């Protein structure tokens, strides 16, 4: 009767020594990345910690918008989309750490559904024609919109002529993103949302917290949010933002192009004036 050999369960077979070294190297690399904060989860946490940091919007005591004001660009929603605000669409690939932590340009833009002012949703109304900071913004006057300084690095909202190489990923319409320089491609103007009253309001002060159109100066296309073009970002479900004018049967811009430049409540409770009568009833005061 032949007797077979018996093996203990802890007998090592194959390239066990090589496997052990590879496992040790992988563990060492993991610990080194963790120490440097380079793990994917750490990068996401770092990004969100900085980009979702609360920001104080400007308070307007005269009810008007001014150069230097920090605002949110809000669309109140429509048939196929919810309330949303223009937001920096940065992911971990957008991060830089030298010379200081921040977002690298160019960086994408989307419409997020959060309504709290933070680094991601705050924009500064910036002069491009020499108007002093604090002076009133007028209808049809050119201006720039830039992110806050610090982590968001004061990048400018910009667009360019639609082309095969430069277009929005989903809709293929005119692309919107953030860049370092403030060229003519970063110039915008505000017009009255009602075409029949547009001429009357030209050159008049722009009220805060009311429905307006934001027009790209070079292409004359209106800033728009597309509820049927959904983006899944680091921050969840959001909408694509583009520069394209959508007209209804009466040749008036649709609510995709309607924006409210929101400021903070003068009462000091930090709430955005989304329930201001002028915002809901479209009355300018």
């Amino acid at each position: 009767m032949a007797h077979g050999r018996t093996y203990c369960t802890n007998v090592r077979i194959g390239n066990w020594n090589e496997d052990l070294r590879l496992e040790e190297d992988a563990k060492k690399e993991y610990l080194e990345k963790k120490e440097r904060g380079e793990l994917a989860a750490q990068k996401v946490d770092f990004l969100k910690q900085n980009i979702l940091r609360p920001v104080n919007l400007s308070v307007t005591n005269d009810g008007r918008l001014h150069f230097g004001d920090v605002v949110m660009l809000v669309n109140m929603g429509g048939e196929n989309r919810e309330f949303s605000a223009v937001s920096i669409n940065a992911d971990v690939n957008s991060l830089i750490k030298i010379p200081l932590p921040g977002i690298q340009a160019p960086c994408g833009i989307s419409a997020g559904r959060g309504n709290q002012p933070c680094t991601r949703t705050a924009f500064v109304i910036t002069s491009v024609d020499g108007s002093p900071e604090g002076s009133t913004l007028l209808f049809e006057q050119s201006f720039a919109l830039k992110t806050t300084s610090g982590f968001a690095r004061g990048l400018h909202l910009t667009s360019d002529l639609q082309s095969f190489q430069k277009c929005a990923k989903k809709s293929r319409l005119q692309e919107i993103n953030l860049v370092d320089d403030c060229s003519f491609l970063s110039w915008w103007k505000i017009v009255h949302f009602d075409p029949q009253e547009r001429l009357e309001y030209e050159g008049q002060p722009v009220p805060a917290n009311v429905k307006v159109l934001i027009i790209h100066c070079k292409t004359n296309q209106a800033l728009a949010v597309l509820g049927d073009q959904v983006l899944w970002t680091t921050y969840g479900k959001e909408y694509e933002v583009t520069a394209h004018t959508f007209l209804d049967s009466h040749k008036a811009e649709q609510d995709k192009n309607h924006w409210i430049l929101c400021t903070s409540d003068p009462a000091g409770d930090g709430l955005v004036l989304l329930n201001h009568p002028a915002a809901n009833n479209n009355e300018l005061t």
Side-chain angles (χ1 to χ4, degrees):
M1 180 176 180
H3 294 280
R5 295 180 180 179
T6 59
Y7 293 90
C8 298
T9 57
N10 60 355
V11 171
R12 293 174 174 174
I13 59 175
N15 297 327
W16 62 269
N17 188 48
E18 182 181 350
D19 292 341
L20 181 61
R21 286 183 176 276
L22 290 173
E23 184 179 340
E24 289 176 348
D25 289 344
K27 187 174 182 180
K28 181 181 178 182
E29 183 181 4
Y30 170 84
L31 293 174
E32 289 176 349
K33 282 188 173 182
K34 184 177 181 181
E35 186 176 350
R36 296 193 300 263
E38 295 178 354
L39 296 178
Q42 289 177 308
K43 289 182 179 180
V44 171
D45 289 343
F46 177 78
L47 174 64
K48 289 187 174 181
Q49 179 183 356
N50 285 276
I51 207 167
L52 298 179
R53 185 170 293 157
V55 167
N56 292 323
L57 300 182
S58 297
V59 175
T60 174
N61 293 314
D62 60 3
R64 299 171 176 176
L65 293 175
H66 310 84
F67 290 104
D69 281 354
V70 181
V71 299
M72 281 177 64
L73 278 58
V74 169
N75 180 279
M76 296 302 290
E79 184 178 352
N80 61 347
R81 68 189 186 283
E82 302 174 40
F83 167 102
S84 60
V86 173
S87 306
I88 303 171
N89 187 14
D91 57 20
V92 293
N93 297 317
S94 307
L95 287 175
I96 56 173
K97 291 194 174 182
I98 298 174
L100 294 172
I103 300 168
Q104 66 178 343
C107 182
I109 283 290
S110 58
R113 295 180 294 164
N115 63 357
Q116 295 302 315
C118 61
T119 300
R120 187 171 182 242
T121 59
F123 291 85
V124 183
I125 299 174
T126 307
S127 171
V128 297
D129 61 4
S131 297
E133 186 166 320
S135 61
T136 304
L137 177 67
L138 307 178
F139 280 107
E140 301 279 354
Q141 183 178 12
S142 299
F143 67 98
L145 287 164
K146 71 176 183 178
T147 58
T148 54
S149 58
F151 186 77
R153 297 184 56 241
L155 301 179
H156 293 87
L157 193 70
T158 190
S159 187
D160 200 350
L161 292 171
Q162 181 182 349
S163 67
F164 182 77
Q165 291 82 12
K166 292 184 178 181
C167 58
K169 292 180 180 179
K170 291 275 190 177
S171 64
R172 314 303 294 177
L173 297 173
Q174 192 172 312
E175 184 182 31
I176 301 286
N177 54 24
L178 295 167
V179 297
D180 285 311
D181 62 316
C182 184
S183 67
F184 184 53
L185 298 177
S186 302
W187 291 21
W188 303 83
K189 63 182 179 181
I190 291 178
V191 301
H192 195 280
F193 83 98
D194 187 346
Q196 295 183 352
E197 299 188 39
R198 202 159 290 168
L199 186 61
E200 178 184 348
Y201 279 88
E202 184 175 347
Q204 297 299 311
V206 180
N209 308 298
V210 300
K211 188 189 302 181
V212 295
L213 302 181
I214 304 174
I215 306 295
H216 188 237
C217 290
K218 178 175 181 178
T219 62
N220 206 36
Q221 295 294 318
L223 190 68
V225 54
L226 309 182
D228 56 346
Q229 303 296 341
V230 174
L231 302 175
W232 290 100
T233 72
T234 303
Y235 317 92
K237 176 184 175 183
E238 301 192 336
Y239 307 122
E240 188 171 73
V241 175
T242 183
H244 187 83
T245 303
F246 293 90
L247 301 177
D248 60 21
S249 58
H250 301 288
K251 302 298 183 180
E253 289 80 6
Q254 299 178 20
D255 57 13
K256 298 176 184 179
N257 296 127
H258 294 169
W259 297 93
I260 299 173
L261 280 73
C262 294
T263 60
S264 189
D265 191 336
D269 59 11
L271 297 178
V272 177
L273 290 175
L274 296 179
N275 295 319
H276 191 283
N280 292 323
N281 300 328
N282 309 315
E283 298 173 356
L284 300 179
T285 57

